[in-house]
Amino acid sequence: MKKKLLLVFIITLSLNLTAQTYEDMVSRAMDYVEQNDYAAAEQAMKAALRKEPTNPNNPMLMVNLGTIQRNLGELDEALISYNVAIEKYPDTPFIRHNRAALYCEMNRFDDALKDYNTILASNPKDLEALYRRGLIHISNKNLFAAEEDFEKIIELYPENLNGKTGIAAIKKRRSEWKEAEEMYTDLIYKHKSNADLYYNRAECYLRLNKLASTENDIKKALELGYAGAPIYILRGQLRLAQYEKRLAREDFLKAKELGADESIIEDFLRLCK
């Protein structure tokens, strides 16, 4: 019975979309997006494209369709949509930003880097492109290039949080724990409700063997809503340093439950025996 009802619904929706104008379908798609009904939004958007395949607004419509498909986890389809839009408007930064972000979701960082390079070639002051490119440089272990991007951000926007956290992240990668801790402390003074800052300072404190300070910052980060796997790995390491193996094991298992790399977690669990 449910399948028959669903079939009737789909047929009815199809007939309704056919009767609507291009503008109606686009408007309906946006309404579905506001309701977080991305599957219906995708169908309405595709119906609009079929209705008027030569409409000059279609390339921008493809950008919206790509974003809807990203929300549905249809990453390959989203890439096709963004590619169509970029083919028509290759010099539009907004579209390249969307595709670069998608490439990062797909772990295609070299392709994302090309898009950010293209954006910055035409606008060297694009803040988001500088920051995102700097993060990719860090993941590629190209710390000098990352440092250049973050320093450029601070040169353009002296109080920019992303630029400063980028420099602090580089100091961590270079094991300059004391310098990084001091930077995070300065940032926390100005951004007391930022959970990421407390998490990152806690990591510095742990490396500096300041266990009480580590514990305080982890607690604060959790209170402020930091709930990802990394913080449970960090707290597990802290508890190992405090000889609390049972509690450490619980944290590592929680991190595994939240999607942490299983091979890394297994290494930590061996230390809990």
Side-chain angles (χ1 to χ4, degrees), residues 10 26 67 105-106 131 135-136 146 170 198 209 247 271:
I10 291 172
V26 173
T67 302
E105 286 182 49
M106 301 172 78
Y131 177 63
L135 294 179
I136 293 173
I170 289 172
Y198 287 98
N209 202 36
L247 294 176
L271 298 175

Side-chain angles (χ1 to χ4, degrees), residues 22-23 49 54-62 89:
Y22 177 91
E23 290 75 13
L49 292 164
T54 59
N55 191 299
N57 293 319
N58 282 350
M60 294 310 296
L61 213 61
M62 293 299 293
Y89 299 111

